Amino acid sequence: MGDKMKAVVMRGPNDFGVEMVDIPKPKRNEVLVKIGAVAICGSDPKLFKGDYMGINWPPYFPFIPGHEFAGEVVELGEGVTDLKVGDRVAGEAHCGCGVCENCRRGLYNLCLNYGKVEAGHRHYGFTYQGAYAQYNAYNVRALTKMPDNVSFDEGSMVDTGGTALQAIRLNGITPGGFSLVIGPGPIGLFVMMIAKAMGSKTIVVGRRERLQFAKKLGADYIVDYEKCDDIVAEVRKITGGLGVDEAFECAGTQNAMLQTVRCTKKNGKVAIVSLPSQDEYNLPIKTMVMNQITVHGSRANPNCSKDVLALISENRINAKDLITHTFSIDDIHKALDTFVNRIDGAMKVVIHP
Ligand SMILES: [Zn+2]
Ligand SMILES: [Zn+2]
């Protein structure tokens, strides 16, 4: 290993490419990870475009994005006892400061020192250097050892799968009941697969190839919103008139938010899992009150990686088939184009640095 590596370096909005940069040195409680696979997240193309400059993603240039990764530990920083060289690990984006009230409660996705590098907080790929590179140094708290039968490609799905699992934990799942997913993108499909593994009958609302993808991965019912005048009536029909026990909004649209609440049965639960592009949307408050419906906002994936890896390792969910395309790091522009424009039915696109 020399001291330089390839990385996708962002120099400004819409200005990025592969460059040779220094390999980072692992500091105390960090390890150097040789990145085996890094998946493109729905937020990455927006970040590259500069859409998140208003919330300081990234906070400086030059910057290396990327946060859905798996790889191999190749060097240990000082004080590392739980990992060794050669360990295969899956990563997550959020690493809390470890000492604030929320971190102490395990809610490191809501760290009160968010963005404060000096306090130890890292949001890899957003506020701190990320994984579109051959190597990156990570705090051990952001890494989870992978079972031997889980590949790096599958490991790069753990951040997305964890985001689905966190929403499921907030809502709960009723075994033998019904769950609804609106928006069969990668997170929605993981929600569907995990809910099904937990004994729920699953209904997925979407359209075209992505809806067929949901069917292929095991959705019990699919509803095409382009061919259905009344989604709420259709979902009520499937559920014997009552509505679903739990609903998951994974589309980020106004319609989807209204429909998730209206499709949910009395005393049911709704999770908004998408990252909406604006702050204000309408919700059917009267329905929420009269039907006593709980709506959760769900952010990221705290404490989910180990369980998602177990679900993948034991074949209870299928992470592999979500990966439709792989590219070398040199083809980052083509990879992003394939992902954004859903070329050839692209679902998850993975980079091999
Ligand atoms: Zn992501
Ligand atoms: Zn914290």
Side-chain angles (χ1 to χ4, degrees):
M1 181 168 95
D3 53 1
K4 295 276 181 191
M5 64 172 184
K6 277 187 191 175
V8 179
V9 178
M10 186 180 173
R11 295 203 163 264
N14 269 322
D15 178 10
F16 59 95
V18 174
E19 296 183 19
M20 294 303 288
V21 300
D22 289 341
I23 295 176
K25 281 263 161 269
K27 301 190 187 87
R28 190 169 174 80
N29 294 325
E30 289 183 344
V31 297
L32 186 66
V33 175
K34 183 179 183 192
I35 308 294
V38 49
I40 299 178
C41 175
S43 60
D44 287 334
K46 296 177 193 152
L47 185 121
F48 276 121
K49 259 172 64 192
D51 286 0
Y52 297 131
M53 296 295 293
I55 51 171
N56 268 335
W57 294 352
Y60 55 85
F61 297 109
F63 186 80
I64 303 172
H67 62 275
E68 302 185 351
F69 67 97
E72 184 186 335
V73 174
V74 292
E75 193 184 330
L76 305 182
E78 219 185 302
V80 174
T81 54
D82 281 2
L83 289 173
K84 57 185 190 312
V85 169
D87 279 346
R88 298 164 69 257
V89 290
E92 53 194 89
H94 285 265
C95 178
C97 73
V99 293
C100 76
E101 191 184 338
N102 280 355
C103 281
R104 287 180 189 216
R105 290 171 193 257
L107 303 167
Y108 58 90
N109 56 324
L110 304 172
C111 176
L112 298 174
N113 283 313
Y114 183 90
K116 288 188 193 158
V117 171
E118 66 281 12
H121 181 271
R122 306 278 186 270
H123 191 191
Y124 293 106
F126 293 90
T127 66
Y128 198 85
Q129 173 164 341
Y132 286 127
Q134 291 177 309
Y135 299 89
N136 198 20
Y138 289 98
N139 190 296
V140 291
R141 291 201 300 268
L143 303 172
T144 306
K145 266 197 240 182
M146 299 206 294
D148 290 338
N149 70 340
V150 176
S151 68
F152 288 143
D153 280 2
E154 290 171 304
S156 73
M157 298 294 109
V158 165
D159 192 270
T160 308
T163 302
L165 179 58
Q166 145 90 347
I168 282 180
R169 284 181 182 162
L170 289 172
N171 262 2
I173 282 291
T174 306
F178 282 96
S179 53
L180 169 70
V181 172
I182 301 189
I187 293 173
L189 293 175
F190 267 114
V191 170
M192 183 276 290
M193 289 190 284
I194 298 171
K196 194 176 160 88
M198 292 170 79
S200 175
K201 295 183 287 286
T202 52
I203 306 169
V204 177
V205 175
R207 63 172 179 168
R208 302 182 194 171
E209 293 113 314
R210 291 202 156 191
L211 190 61
Q212 294 313 314
F213 216 109
K215 185 83 198 162
K216 209 177 76 191
L217 288 177
D220 296 297
Y221 302 87
I222 55 171
V223 179
D224 186 333
Y225 69 78
E226 285 184 333
K227 294 178 187 157
C228 176
D229 303 330
D230 191 342
I231 299 291
V232 177
E234 185 61 26
V235 169
R236 291 205 171 262
K237 200 168 98 194
I238 294 168
T239 55
L242 294 177
V244 298
D245 299 84
E246 294 90 24
F248 299 86
E249 193 287 309
C250 306
T253 65
Q254 174 64 73
N255 267 346
M257 290 181 204
L258 292 171
Q259 286 159 355
T260 43
V261 175
R262 290 187 175 136
C263 289
T264 300
K265 72 154 80 151
K266 291 182 178 178
N267 203 41
K269 309 279 188 289
V270 171
I272 312 281
V273 196
S274 62
L275 175 56
S277 54
Q278 65 202 49
D279 196 43
E280 292 187 15
Y281 291 87
N282 294 320
L283 280 176
I285 304 290
K286 188 175 166 196
T287 304
M288 282 165 58
V289 172
M290 296 305 282
N291 290 353
Q292 196 170 293
I293 286 166
T294 307
V295 178
H296 296 278
S298 182
R299 180 172 192 184
N301 46 15
N303 310 301
C304 289
S305 295
K306 190 164 174 273
D307 293 347
V308 172
L309 282 163
L311 287 167
I312 294 172
S313 172
E314 292 158 18
N315 253 322
R316 293 173 199 277
I317 60 173
N318 180 349
K320 198 169 63 233
D321 284 355
L322 282 182
I323 303 169
T324 53
H325 296 75
T326 56
F327 289 94
S328 107
I329 196 168
D330 299 310
D331 293 325
I332 180 69
H333 287 96
K334 196 174 165 202
L336 283 165
D337 183 50
T338 301
F339 177 77
V340 172
N341 296 308
R342 300 185 187 171
I343 293 170
D344 298 329
M347 183 61 70
K348 270 312 230 186
V349 175
V350 169
I351 309 280
H352 292 150

